Amino acid sequence: TATPHDGKVENFHIFMRLLDPERFEGRLRHYEEPDANDLMRRYVKEKLTTFEGKPIFPPREAKTLQFSLSTQENSLYEKVTDYVRAGVRAAAKMREAGNWRVGIVTHFALIGLQRRLASSPAAIYESLKRRHDRLVSRAREFSKHLTQPMSVAELPESLRQLEKLDDIDYEDYSDQELEDSETEAIEFAKVSETFVELQQEIRQLEDLLKLARAVRDSGKDTKWLELRQWLRSDAFRSSNQKLIVFSEYLDTIDYIANRVADELGSRSAVVTIHGGLQRQSRRNIQDKFINVPAVKVLVATDAAGEGVNLQVANMMVNYDLPWNPNKIEQRFGRIHRIGQKRPCYLYNLVAHETREGQVFARLFEKIEQQRKTFGDQVYDILGDTVINKSLPSLLLEAIRGFFQSSFGAIRRQYR
């Protein structure tokens, strides 16, 4: 199997039971990593050679480009995060009061909202607007008093399945399913308990929308400027280079595609792929990217991330980072594959001073430690005792402010 370890110790332990049921009987305690060195033989593709001893795969390089938010962006970020943090506290109270399912949905929604905030000003603007419009509609329905908690019957079917926040396995969702579920949750999440609180929340959202619109319309958000700098580089401008940009959200894909088209001076130079497209449409777009020299950039979700040969390009940018680190490898595998003749380059864009930046800085720090010890066999041990919690749980802790001690050293590093 290409990915024997999905980053979860308990899953790896179950996997090992297939080889030795007696030895791996029972449950793990204290997230102990099973010792399976004598049962597993792993070769990564970078070590594969021909019979003559020549490497089959070309060299590859992955870098994380860390940047700081502008003053305007930071203001938006902090105000939206304050809104999310208040919602997290409200969700915790709901769960304590017995309205646990709505509390879970609200938690899920707020984590999604925070991720969209980190994705792009377009993604957070559209998400806030959809929530604002939903709350305005709700205020019309309850024009006098909002006295009853939202019932389970009001939740969409997909959200009624959420039993426990820790049980939400992001790997079980396709990119489109996750985005759709998050969108529904953001619209239906319940933060306000009374009609007065609902009106206050609507006014707060209106203020946030003004900030988000200003950042979006400026066209000067820092993450986009980082990508634009790459588009203007000699490495991209020279010869017939093509570039793949991955994002998690359709709003961000449209945002990037429009700006890339303006930068290159041609809308036909950019194509997009997302989970909402039919399979044949995706294939047609992939063929266009591969075979038409004028098409320079592909902007896509993970609908183009696995099982697709895109080695016509040798450069890739993660505009957003997925929760599952293995997906980063799967994305890279679209260009770093048998038949690729050029070195391959992957760039991750991360605003290091944000909560998401703290989480991913910790992840990449640990991956680098693992790489020094295990070489390229990093993904075998992502579920060790240091990276023990899911990335959504880590982000939730960061939002609550519980990461002060864990990430204090990282923050000081960038001051």
Side-chain angles (χ1 to χ4, degrees), residues 3 38 71 77 81 91 101 107 111 128 139 149 158 173-174 183 227 240 282 318 333 338 344 375 389 397 404:
T3 52
D38 59 326
T71 301
Y77 185 88
T81 301
R101 195 185 298 273
H107 261 119
I111 290 175
L128 290 172
S158 61
Y173 292 87
S174 69
T183 298
L227 178 59
N240 295 317
R282 293 185 218 171
N318 280 322
I338 293 177
C344 294
K389 298 183 179 180
E397 289 187 7
Q404 299 301 320

Side-chain angles (χ1 to χ4, degrees), residues 91-188:
K93 290 180 180 179
M94 292 178 212
R95 295 165 69 181
E96 292 172 1
N99 200 2
W100 57 271
R101 195 185 298 273
V102 176
I104 292 298
V105 169
T106 301
H107 261 119
F108 179 70
L110 293 167
I111 290 175
L113 199 62
Q114 190 78 21
R115 293 183 70 205
R116 293 170 191 227
L117 174 62
S119 177
S120 72
I124 189 59
Y125 173 80
E126 295 298 335
S127 298
L128 290 172
K129 187 175 186 303
R130 286 188 285 264
R131 176 155 180 79
H132 171 269
D133 293 346
R134 174 73 182 177
L135 294 189
V136 169
S137 175
R138 183 180 295 175
R140 292 195 189 103
E141 296 172 6
F142 303 98
S143 58
K144 292 185 179 180
H145 297 285
L146 187 64
T147 58
Q148 297 298 322
M150 185 170 62
S151 66
V152 173
E154 293 181 73
L155 296 174
E157 180 63 32
S158 61
L159 301 179
R160 289 181 222 163
Q161 308 304 315
L162 299 179
E163 299 286 343
K164 186 180 178 183
L165 188 64
D166 293 339
D167 289 340
I168 300 173
D169 193 340
Y170 285 75
E171 296 174 37
D172 291 340
Y173 292 87
S174 69
D175 63 305
Q176 192 63 44
E177 289 171 341
L178 178 57
E179 181 165 6
D180 290 345
S181 294
E182 281 186 351
T183 298
E184 285 185 325
I186 289 169
E187 290 184 36
F188 281 87

Side-chain angles (χ1 to χ4, degrees), residues 73 219-230 319:
E73 290 173 297
K220 296 181 180 180
D221 67 279
T222 310
K223 187 190 283 190
W224 157 244
L225 294 179
E226 289 286 333
L227 178 59
R228 190 184 69 176
Q229 183 177 346
W230 178 252
Y319 206 81

Side-chain angles (χ1 to χ4, degrees), residues 85-363:
R85 187 181 292 113
V88 168
R89 289 196 294 265
K93 290 180 180 179
M94 292 178 212
R95 295 165 69 181
E96 292 172 1
N99 200 2
W100 57 271
R101 195 185 298 273
V102 176
I104 292 298
V105 169
T106 301
H107 261 119
F108 179 70
L110 293 167
I111 290 175
L113 199 62
Q114 190 78 21
R115 293 183 70 205
R116 293 170 191 227
L117 174 62
S119 177
S120 72
I124 189 59
Y125 173 80
E126 295 298 335
S127 298
L128 290 172
K129 187 175 186 303
R130 286 188 285 264
R131 176 155 180 79
H132 171 269
D133 293 346
R134 174 73 182 177
L135 294 189
V136 169
S137 175
R138 183 180 295 175
R140 292 195 189 103
E141 296 172 6
F142 303 98
S143 58
K144 292 185 179 180
H145 297 285
L146 187 64
T147 58
Q148 297 298 322
M150 185 170 62
S151 66
V152 173
E154 293 181 73
L155 296 174
E157 180 63 32
S158 61
L159 301 179
R160 289 181 222 163
Q161 308 304 315
L162 299 179
E163 299 286 343
K164 186 180 178 183
L165 188 64
D166 293 339
D167 289 340
I168 300 173
D169 193 340
Y170 285 75
E171 296 174 37
D172 291 340
Y173 292 87
S174 69
D175 63 305
Q176 192 63 44
E177 289 171 341
L178 178 57
E179 181 165 6
D180 290 345
S181 294
E182 281 186 351
T183 298
E184 285 185 325
I186 289 169
E187 290 184 36
F188 281 87
K190 179 175 176 289
V191 175
S192 302
E193 290 286 350
T194 68
F195 183 68
V196 172
E197 289 176 353
L198 182 62
Q199 289 179 310
Q200 292 173 344
E201 184 181 356
I202 290 172
R203 287 194 293 271
Q204 184 179 10
L205 286 170
E206 289 171 350
D207 291 338
L208 295 177
L209 281 169
K210 290 178 183 178
L211 285 173
R213 187 187 302 113
V215 176
R216 182 200 62 179
D217 293 347
S218 72
K220 296 181 180 180
D221 67 279
T222 310
K223 187 190 283 190
W224 157 244
L225 294 179
E226 289 286 333
L227 178 59
R228 190 184 69 176
Q229 183 177 346
W230 178 252
L231 294 173
R232 293 180 176 181
S233 68
D234 292 338
F236 178 73
R237 295 281 186 178
S238 63
S239 65
N240 295 317
Q241 286 285 6
K242 292 177 182 274
L243 175 69
I244 302 172
V245 182
F246 275 103
S247 174
E248 296 279 281
Y249 296 106
L250 181 57
D251 291 328
T252 299
I253 285 176
D254 291 339
Y255 176 76
I256 298 170
N258 290 333
R259 276 155 179 73
V260 170
D262 291 341
E263 176 66 23
L264 300 182
S266 172
R267 187 63 184 87
S268 60
V270 187
V271 291
T272 61
I273 292 177
H274 55 84
L277 296 174
Q278 296 295 324
R279 186 177 299 273
Q280 188 57 48
S281 296
R282 293 185 218 171
R283 290 176 179 169
N284 292 340
I285 294 170
Q286 291 162 10
D287 290 342
K288 191 175 181 179
F289 177 69
I290 293 169
N291 298 313
V292 179
V295 179
K296 307 289 287 182
V297 178
L298 167 64
V299 187
T301 65
D302 284 308
E306 187 173 4
V308 181
N309 185 345
L310 297 172
Q311 63 182 271
V312 66
N314 70 320
M315 297 184 294
M316 181 177 294
V317 173
N318 280 322
Y319 206 81
D320 304 331
L321 288 167
W323 285 133
N324 181 1
N326 284 327
K327 280 192 175 183
I328 301 175
E329 182 70 14
Q330 291 167 357
R331 291 175 178 181
F332 208 1
R334 299 315 97 222
I335 62 174
H336 189 247
R337 55 194 299 122
I338 293 177
Q340 177 63 265
K341 304 300 183 184
R342 299 168 292 174
C344 294
Y345 303 94
L346 171 66
Y347 298 91
N348 303 309
L349 299 180
V350 177
H352 65 79
E353 293 172 332
T354 64
R355 281 76 178 172
E356 299 76 22
Q358 294 170 0
V359 170
F360 281 108
R362 184 68 187 89
L363 173 64

